[in-house]
PDB file of all heavy atoms in Angstrom:
ATOM      1  N   LEU A  19     -17.149   2.893 -13.419  1.00 55.00           N
ATOM      2  CA  LEU A  19     -17.270   4.177 -12.734  1.00 55.00           C
ATOM      3  C   LEU A  19     -17.267   5.301 -13.762  1.00 55.00           C
ATOM      4  O   LEU A  19     -16.450   5.303 -14.686  1.00 55.00           O
ATOM      5  CB  LEU A  19     -16.098   4.385 -11.779  1.00 55.00           C
ATOM      6  CG  LEU A  19     -16.025   3.427 -10.595  1.00 55.00           C
ATOM      7  CD1 LEU A  19     -14.720   3.629  -9.860  1.00 55.00           C
ATOM      8  CD2 LEU A  19     -17.189   3.640  -9.671  1.00 55.00           C
ATOM      9  N   LEU A  28      -1.648   4.279 -17.249  1.00 37.00           N
ATOM     10  CA  LEU A  28      -0.921   3.018 -17.276  1.00 37.00           C
ATOM     11  C   LEU A  28      -0.791   2.473 -15.865  1.00 37.00           C
ATOM     12  O   LEU A  28      -0.660   3.213 -14.900  1.00 37.00           O
ATOM     13  CB  LEU A  28       0.477   3.233 -17.882  1.00 37.00           C
ATOM     14  CG  LEU A  28       0.492   3.816 -19.292  1.00 37.00           C
ATOM     15  CD1 LEU A  28       1.928   4.042 -19.737  1.00 37.00           C
ATOM     16  CD2 LEU A  28      -0.214   2.890 -20.267  1.00 37.00           C
ATOM     17  N   LYS A  40      -3.568 -18.056  -7.436  1.00 58.00           N
ATOM     18  CA  LYS A  40      -4.161 -16.794  -7.837  1.00 58.00           C
ATOM     19  C   LYS A  40      -3.134 -15.666  -7.766  1.00 58.00           C
ATOM     20  O   LYS A  40      -2.305 -15.627  -6.869  1.00 58.00           O
ATOM     21  CB  LYS A  40      -5.352 -16.453  -6.937  1.00 58.00           C
ATOM     22  CG  LYS A  40      -6.535 -17.385  -7.132  1.00 58.00           C
ATOM     23  CD  LYS A  40      -7.706 -16.949  -6.276  1.00 58.00           C
ATOM     24  CE  LYS A  40      -8.905 -17.869  -6.487  1.00 58.00           C
ATOM     25  NZ  LYS A  40     -10.058 -17.457  -5.656  1.00 58.00           N
ATOM     26  N   LYS A  44      -0.261  -6.258  -5.425  1.00 87.00           N
ATOM     27  CA  LYS A  44       0.122  -5.639  -4.153  1.00 87.00           C
ATOM     28  C   LYS A  44       0.499  -4.182  -4.402  1.00 87.00           C
ATOM     29  O   LYS A  44       1.426  -3.890  -5.149  1.00 87.00           O
ATOM     30  CB  LYS A  44       1.295  -6.405  -3.536  1.00 87.00           C
ATOM     31  CG  LYS A  44       1.015  -7.894  -3.330  1.00 87.00           C
ATOM     32  CD  LYS A  44       2.174  -8.606  -2.679  1.00 87.00           C
ATOM     33  CE  LYS A  44       2.296  -8.218  -1.230  1.00 87.00           C
ATOM     34  NZ  LYS A  44       3.342  -9.018  -0.531  1.00 87.00           N
ATOM     35  N   LYS A  46       0.803  -0.016  -2.606  1.00 98.00           N
ATOM     36  CA  LYS A  46       0.933   0.760  -1.377  1.00 98.00           C
ATOM     37  C   LYS A  46       0.719   2.232  -1.679  1.00 98.00           C
ATOM     38  O   LYS A  46       1.220   2.761  -2.674  1.00 98.00           O
ATOM     39  CB  LYS A  46       2.326   0.566  -0.761  1.00 98.00           C
ATOM     40  CG  LYS A  46       2.530   1.348   0.538  1.00 98.00           C
ATOM     41  CD  LYS A  46       3.891   1.076   1.153  1.00 98.00           C
ATOM     42  CE  LYS A  46       4.089   1.867   2.436  1.00 98.00           C
ATOM     43  NZ  LYS A  46       5.408   1.601   3.061  1.00 98.00           N
ATOM     44  N   ALA A  52      -1.994  16.779   7.785  1.00 98.00           N
ATOM     45  CA  ALA A  52      -1.556  17.984   8.499  1.00 98.00           C
ATOM     46  C   ALA A  52      -2.723  18.451   9.348  1.00 98.00           C
ATOM     47  O   ALA A  52      -3.888  18.148   9.043  1.00 98.00           O
ATOM     48  CB  ALA A  52      -1.140  19.074   7.507  1.00 98.00           C
ATOM     49  N   GLU A  56      -9.255  17.588   6.138  1.00 98.00           N
ATOM     50  CA  GLU A  56     -10.675  17.269   6.042  1.00 98.00           C
ATOM     51  C   GLU A  56     -10.860  15.781   6.359  1.00 98.00           C
ATOM     52  O   GLU A  56     -10.409  14.920   5.611  1.00 98.00           O
ATOM     53  CB  GLU A  56     -11.199  17.587   4.637  1.00 98.00           C
ATOM     54  CG  GLU A  56     -12.632  17.165   4.366  1.00 98.00           C
ATOM     55  CD  GLU A  56     -13.615  17.718   5.365  1.00 98.00           C
ATOM     56  OE1 GLU A  56     -13.744  18.957   5.448  1.00 98.00           O
ATOM     57  OE2 GLU A  56     -14.245  16.903   6.076  1.00 98.00           O
ATOM     58  N   THR A  80       3.471  16.896  10.649  1.00 98.00           N
ATOM     59  CA  THR A  80       3.463  17.866  11.745  1.00 98.00           C
ATOM     60  C   THR A  80       4.624  17.715  12.715  1.00 98.00           C
ATOM     61  O   THR A  80       4.816  18.559  13.593  1.00 98.00           O
ATOM     62  CB  THR A  80       2.165  17.733  12.557  1.00 98.00           C
ATOM     63  OG1 THR A  80       2.165  16.457  13.219  1.00 98.00           O
ATOM     64  CG2 THR A  80       0.933  17.833  11.662  1.00 98.00           C
ATOM     65  N   GLY A  81       5.359  16.606  12.619  1.00 98.00           N
ATOM     66  CA  GLY A  81       6.411  16.338  13.592  1.00 98.00           C
ATOM     67  C   GLY A  81       5.937  15.516  14.766  1.00 98.00           C
ATOM     68  O   GLY A  81       6.708  15.179  15.663  1.00 98.00           O
ATOM     69  N   ARG A  83       2.795  12.272  15.735  1.00 98.00           N
ATOM     70  CA  ARG A  83       1.875  11.318  15.104  1.00 98.00           C
ATOM     71  C   ARG A  83       0.410  11.718  15.275  1.00 98.00           C
ATOM     72  O   ARG A  83      -0.422  11.380  14.439  1.00 98.00           O
ATOM     73  CB  ARG A  83       2.100   9.916  15.665  1.00 98.00           C
ATOM     74  CG  ARG A  83       3.426   9.298  15.210  1.00 98.00           C
ATOM     75  CD  ARG A  83       3.593   7.906  15.794  1.00 98.00           C
ATOM     76  NE  ARG A  83       2.558   6.996  15.305  1.00 98.00           N
ATOM     77  CZ  ARG A  83       2.244   5.834  15.881  1.00 98.00           C
ATOM     78  NH1 ARG A  83       2.872   5.457  16.977  1.00 98.00           N
ATOM     79  NH2 ARG A  83       1.301   5.072  15.376  1.00 98.00           N
ATOM     80  N   GLY A 115      -9.056  20.368   2.967  1.00 98.00           N
ATOM     81  CA  GLY A 115      -9.291  21.023   4.247  1.00 98.00           C
ATOM     82  C   GLY A 115      -8.308  22.157   4.477  1.00 98.00           C
ATOM     83  O   GLY A 115      -7.372  22.357   3.697  1.00 98.00           O
ATOM     84  N   ASP A 122       1.176  22.555   1.609  1.00 98.00           N
ATOM     85  CA  ASP A 122       1.802  23.416   0.605  1.00 98.00           C
ATOM     86  C   ASP A 122       3.094  24.045   1.108  1.00 98.00           C
ATOM     87  O   ASP A 122       3.951  24.442   0.317  1.00 98.00           O
ATOM     88  CB  ASP A 122       0.807  24.510   0.188  1.00 98.00           C
ATOM     89  CG  ASP A 122       1.313  25.334  -0.969  1.00 98.00           C
ATOM     90  OD1 ASP A 122       1.786  24.753  -1.967  1.00 98.00           O
ATOM     91  OD2 ASP A 122       1.239  26.579  -0.884  1.00 98.00           O
ATOM     92  N   ILE A 141      -0.161  10.274  -8.382  1.00 98.00           N
ATOM     93  CA  ILE A 141      -0.445  11.314  -7.390  1.00 98.00           C
ATOM     94  C   ILE A 141      -1.949  11.558  -7.416  1.00 98.00           C
ATOM     95  O   ILE A 141      -2.553  11.611  -8.495  1.00 98.00           O
ATOM     96  CB  ILE A 141       0.288  12.631  -7.713  1.00 98.00           C
ATOM     97  CG1 ILE A 141       1.810  12.423  -7.715  1.00 98.00           C
ATOM     98  CG2 ILE A 141      -0.098  13.725  -6.725  1.00 98.00           C
ATOM     99  CD1 ILE A 141       2.571  13.629  -8.246  1.00 98.00           C
ATOM    100  N   LEU A 156       2.597  20.930 -11.664  1.00 98.00           N
ATOM    101  CA  LEU A 156       2.398  19.521 -11.999  1.00 98.00           C
ATOM    102  C   LEU A 156       1.097  19.266 -12.749  1.00 98.00           C
ATOM    103  O   LEU A 156       0.834  18.134 -13.167  1.00 98.00           O
ATOM    104  CB  LEU A 156       2.431  18.667 -10.732  1.00 98.00           C
ATOM    105  CG  LEU A 156       3.687  18.802  -9.867  1.00 98.00           C
ATOM    106  CD1 LEU A 156       3.625  17.844  -8.688  1.00 98.00           C
ATOM    107  CD2 LEU A 156       4.942  18.546 -10.699  1.00 98.00           C
ATOM    108  N   GLU A 176      -6.198  22.364 -17.510  1.00 97.00           N
ATOM    109  CA  GLU A 176      -7.470  22.451 -18.214  1.00 97.00           C
ATOM    110  C   GLU A 176      -8.539  22.178 -17.157  1.00 97.00           C
ATOM    111  O   GLU A 176      -8.868  21.030 -16.884  1.00 97.00           O
ATOM    112  CB  GLU A 176      -7.524  21.436 -19.345  1.00 97.00           C
ATOM    113  CG  GLU A 176      -6.421  21.616 -20.380  1.00 97.00           C
ATOM    114  CD  GLU A 176      -6.303  20.431 -21.327  1.00 97.00           C
ATOM    115  OE1 GLU A 176      -7.189  19.536 -21.280  1.00 97.00           O
ATOM    116  OE2 GLU A 176      -5.332  20.384 -22.081  1.00 97.00           O
ATOM    117  N   VAL A 177      -9.041  23.229 -16.546  1.00 97.00           N
ATOM    118  CA  VAL A 177      -9.927  23.080 -15.391  1.00 97.00           C
ATOM    119  C   VAL A 177     -11.295  22.570 -15.817  1.00 97.00           C
ATOM    120  O   VAL A 177     -11.953  23.167 -16.669  1.00 97.00           O
ATOM    121  CB  VAL A 177     -10.068  24.404 -14.625  1.00 97.00           C
ATOM    122  CG1 VAL A 177     -11.010  24.226 -13.435  1.00 97.00           C
ATOM    123  CG2 VAL A 177      -8.701  24.891 -14.150  1.00 97.00           C
ATOM    124  N   VAL A 184     -11.333  13.458 -11.909  1.00 98.00           N
ATOM    125  CA  VAL A 184     -10.699  13.459 -13.224  1.00 98.00           C
ATOM    126  C   VAL A 184      -9.357  12.743 -13.140  1.00 98.00           C
ATOM    127  O   VAL A 184      -8.583  12.969 -12.210  1.00 98.00           O
ATOM    128  CB  VAL A 184     -10.489  14.900 -13.746  1.00 98.00           C
ATOM    129  CG1 VAL A 184      -9.645  14.909 -15.010  1.00 98.00           C
ATOM    130  CG2 VAL A 184     -11.831  15.565 -14.016  1.00 98.00           C
ATOM    131  N   GLY A 196     -18.052  15.588  -0.804  1.00 97.00           N
ATOM    132  CA  GLY A 196     -19.131  14.830  -1.420  1.00 97.00           C
ATOM    133  C   GLY A 196     -18.688  13.878  -2.509  1.00 97.00           C
ATOM    134  O   GLY A 196     -19.466  13.033  -2.955  1.00 97.00           O
ATOM    135  N   HIS A 200     -16.304   8.453  -4.699  1.00 98.00           N
ATOM    136  CA  HIS A 200     -15.983   8.411  -6.126  1.00 98.00           C
ATOM    137  C   HIS A 200     -14.473   8.514  -6.336  1.00 98.00           C
ATOM    138  O   HIS A 200     -13.879   7.778  -7.141  1.00 98.00           O
ATOM    139  CB  HIS A 200     -16.704   9.548  -6.843  1.00 98.00           C
ATOM    140  CG  HIS A 200     -16.729   9.421  -8.326  1.00 98.00           C
ATOM    141  ND1 HIS A 200     -15.830  10.072  -9.139  1.00 98.00           N
ATOM    142  CD2 HIS A 200     -17.520   8.694  -9.148  1.00 98.00           C
ATOM    143  CE1 HIS A 200     -16.086   9.767 -10.393  1.00 98.00           C
ATOM    144  NE2 HIS A 200     -17.097   8.932 -10.434  1.00 98.00           N
TER     145      HIS A 200
END
Side-chain angles (χ1 to χ4, degrees):
L19 294 172
L28 302 177
K40 292 183 179 180
K44 304 182 72 174
K46 180 177 179 179
E56 174 55 62
T80 67
R83 289 180 63 198
D122 187 48
I141 299 171
L156 304 183
E176 301 168 9
V177 179
V184 171
H200 194 263

